[in-house]
Amino acid sequence: MSHPPAPTDYTPTPRSTPTRNRDRAHYDTATVHAILDADFICHMGFIADDAPVVLPTLYARVDDRLYLHGSSGSRPLRNATGAGLAVCVTVTLTDGLVLARSAMHHSLNYRSVVVHGTAERVTEQAELDLAFTSLVNQVVPGRAGDCRAPSPKEQAQTAVLRLDLEEVSAKVRTGGVGDAPEDLGLAHWAGVVPVRRVLGEPVPDPALPAGTRQPGYLRAAVESARQAI
Amino acid sequence: MSHPPAPTDYTPTPRSTPTRNRDRAHYDTATVHAILDADFICHMGFIADDAPVVLPTLYARVDDRLYLHGSSGSRPLRNATGAGLAVCVTVTLTDGLVLARSAMHHSLNYRSVVVHGTAERVTEQAELDLAFTSLVNQVVPGRAGDCRAPSPKEQAQTAVLRLDLEEVSAKVRTGGVGDAPEDLGLAHWAGVVPVRRVLGEPVPDPALPAGTRQPGYLRAAVESARQAI
């Protein structure tokens, strides 16, 4: 049986092609965007003083672009002013623990995206406004419309990097246990344990007036995460 | 009121000292180990062809050392043979969404550890055995004793890197909303939404004999994650 060719909206390059498990690689916009939209923390790698540095960073996706949040005083942000900063941005969602009968075939179900490129500092006001709004909404959709927008002074303390989604790959492992046939008779439990990130009951700020109701977008976010498990 | 000096079991260096929010930095063994023990996926950064690469990788902590899992054919593992590979390994746990009345004071509660160092390939059999056992147990404590150990052929397909915990820092944000006093009267809901990773009900492999009971260590892992939310 022949499979239809997988879509390659993003053109694979040597460094966006995994050296192993290539059947898990995806290069289509739908898969990449869905993974990026399911999280808000990425790990951004860059080079400082000839050594790699990996920092967790808030991000937002807008169309085929990421906005990366930082302080205007932080190392990567300072370095990105001018010619930009070579980065690798990775987002990883863990979906399941795969417990095989053999230690070797233990695995994880996961969805990850790796983006290579040059991150550039956002300086134009209209794009900054879009980035700030998107970063807040990436964490809780709808929240940006229910808080005070940043003042010019606050905006000056924050820096945002722009990273276009051009050299991008996703890697996805789904499914069950992959034990070898000769191991199937071993007397060990085997299966998949689902893993999910959930939101607990929101804890109101003590200074909030008594009886303040939780906004609908927040309840929706909590319920949506609950249903996933 | 004076605070006792914070313990610095790991000596801070320029690159293990954050450029902002230094009050969130920790250098004590207890804090660092507790964060590392609460997860099993790190993001490992290294340099390949003069560019940063960040890949999600399984890890295990054994005393003051990390073992990092990979394929013997993968780029970082090939590069680590010989003089070792300069890496930055970062582990990040998200604990809460901090929704402030102002967009600026939105934040996350989190615990992260950043390790800088040179990763070296593990080659001695006794240390490899320890690493394989620890990697399985990092995901589900107790599991390594309830599966078939890797054969010599399987071991040859897997590679393990060793990274000593020497240049290490943790960064932790806890607590509530940090709005400015002049924003406290704004009519926006504010508070903290707890975030947790939980395990769902294990799904047995279809080939498992009917009536096979879930092992106790697995039930313990699932229940322990449930209680966290």
Side-chain angles (χ1 to χ4, degrees), chain A residues 14-15 19-20 40-41 43-47 50-56 58 71 73-75 78 86-88 90-92 94 97 99-106 108 112 114 116 136 139-140 143 146-150 154 157-158 177 183-184 186-205 207-208 212-215 218 222 229, chain B residues 14-15 19-20 40-41 43-47 50-56 58 71 73-75 78 86-88 90-92 94 97 99-106 108 112 114 116 136 139-140 143 146-150 154 157-158 177 183-184 186-205 207-208 212-215 218 222 229:
Chain A
R15 66 180 177 179
T19 50
R20 59 191 288 267
F40 46 81
I41 291 283
H43 282 80
M44 177 170 71
F46 57 98
I47 300 175
D50 300 323
V53 179
V54 178
L55 298 180
L58 181 66
S71 152
S74 72
R75 270 185 305 181
R78 283 199 308 262
V87 297
C88 178
T90 301
V91 172
T92 306
T94 305
L97 315 178
L99 305 187
R101 296 161 185 83
S102 58
M104 172 72 183
H105 284 99
H106 277 64
L108 293 173
S112 67
V114 176
H116 295 274
V136 172
V139 181
V140 178
R143 177 64 183 177
D146 186 25
C147 59
R148 178 177 65 69
E154 289 171 342
Q157 295 170 43
T158 313
V177 172
D183 286 333
L184 292 180
L186 293 175
H188 301 299
W189 189 91
V192 177
V193 186
V195 179
R196 293 288 180 273
R197 188 167 63 189
V198 299
L199 303 181
E201 192 54 31
V203 180
D205 182 50
L208 213 60
T212 303
R213 293 187 60 180
Q214 280 176 28
L218 181 56
V222 172
I229 191 78
Chain B
R15 66 180 177 179
T19 50
R20 58 189 289 266
F40 45 82
I41 291 282
H43 282 80
M44 178 170 71
F46 56 99
I47 299 174
D50 300 322
V53 179
V54 178
L55 297 180
L58 182 65
S71 153
S74 71
R75 270 184 305 180
R78 283 200 309 261
V87 297
C88 178
T90 301
V91 172
T92 306
T94 305
L97 316 178
L99 306 188
R101 295 161 186 86
S102 58
M104 173 72 182
H105 285 97
H106 276 64
L108 293 173
S112 66
V114 176
H116 294 274
V136 172
V139 181
V140 177
R143 177 65 184 177
D146 186 25
C147 59
R148 178 177 66 67
E154 290 171 340
Q157 296 171 43
T158 313
V177 173
D183 286 333
L184 292 181
L186 293 176
H188 301 299
W189 189 91
V192 177
V193 186
V195 179
R196 293 289 181 273
R197 188 167 63 190
V198 299
L199 302 181
E201 191 55 32
V203 180
D205 183 48
L208 212 62
T212 304
R213 292 187 61 180
Q214 281 176 27
L218 181 55
V222 172
I229 191 77

Side-chain angles (χ1 to χ4, degrees), chain A residues 3-19:
Chain A
H3 293 277
T8 55
D9 301 328
Y10 300 109
T11 306
T13 65
R15 66 180 177 179
S16 74
T17 304
T19 50

